[in-house]
Amino acid sequence: MASQSAAYTPTVIATLATGGALADLRNLLFSLALFNAKPPKVYLYCDADIERALPSLKYPGKVITNTAAMARYSGLNRQQMEKLPGERFPSLWFDFMAEKISLLKWAFAEEGEREAEQGVMMTDASYGVLFCDADICFFAPLQIGRAHV
């Protein structure tokens, strides 16, 4: 039987957005800043449109971007991507969804290097990356309960 330990506050978020999702990303970052005294670091797969707009969003936390991963999706919406062939999957939309895995691998790799430099074990409660779609809007501080077996 699992027992519940104290909640912890994620310090790292991963999300992705192209230009068409700027309003969604604005709301996500605003809600993270509004409800968290120390806004989490954000790893962001984005296109050039989003990267240019980032300063105007005035997010007080650190945002680390990667534009190379999203370049081929820039200017396309879901309906358009569903009609285009993908490189790895039947449609470009499926390729786009699979970028979430690549994003998490990148964020974990970067955070793992940081944790190693600081001498913190990756199993430590401070370690973790929370993936959020860009259209998420938080209504309270980030807190996640940890179950232990």
Side-chain angles (χ1 to χ4, degrees), residues 5-66:
S5 70
Y8 85 106
T9 300
T11 58
V12 181
I13 301 289
T15 193
L16 52 83
T18 57
L22 179 59
D24 291 336
L25 181 62
R26 178 180 290 118
N27 289 338
L28 170 64
L29 296 178
F30 177 80
S31 67
L32 287 171
L34 179 64
F35 293 112
N36 297 282
K38 183 178 180 198
K41 181 190 311 180
V42 176
Y43 284 90
L44 174 63
Y45 265 14
C46 64
D47 63 6
D49 292 338
I50 294 289
E51 189 169 58
R52 279 190 297 274
L54 273 176
S56 70
L57 302 182
K58 296 181 172 54
Y59 182 66
K62 184 173 184 176
V63 179
I64 302 165
T65 61
N66 179 327

Side-chain angles (χ1 to χ4, degrees), residues 59-104:
Y59 182 66
K62 184 173 184 176
V63 179
I64 302 165
T65 61
N66 179 327
T67 56
M70 293 286 103
R72 68 186 178 132
Y73 310 105
S74 188
L76 300 172
N77 63 30
R78 178 180 180 161
Q79 292 75 26
Q80 292 167 318
M81 285 188 245
E82 286 175 340
K83 293 176 185 173
L84 295 171
E87 288 182 16
R88 295 180 0 197
F89 297 100
S91 76
L92 193 60
W93 175 251
F94 290 145
D95 284 3
F96 180 76
M97 291 291 98
E99 294 293 354
K100 295 176 182 183
I101 303 301
S102 299
L103 166 62
L104 284 168

Side-chain angles (χ1 to χ4, degrees), residues 12 41 43 104-122 127-129:
V12 181
K41 181 190 311 180
Y43 284 90
L104 284 168
K105 286 179 180 178
W106 172 57
F108 274 114
E110 292 292 316
E111 286 301 295
E113 287 176 18
R114 179 185 62 84
E115 298 288 338
E117 289 170 3
Q118 295 176 359
V120 178
M121 298 287 293
M122 287 189 187
Y127 183 77
V129 178

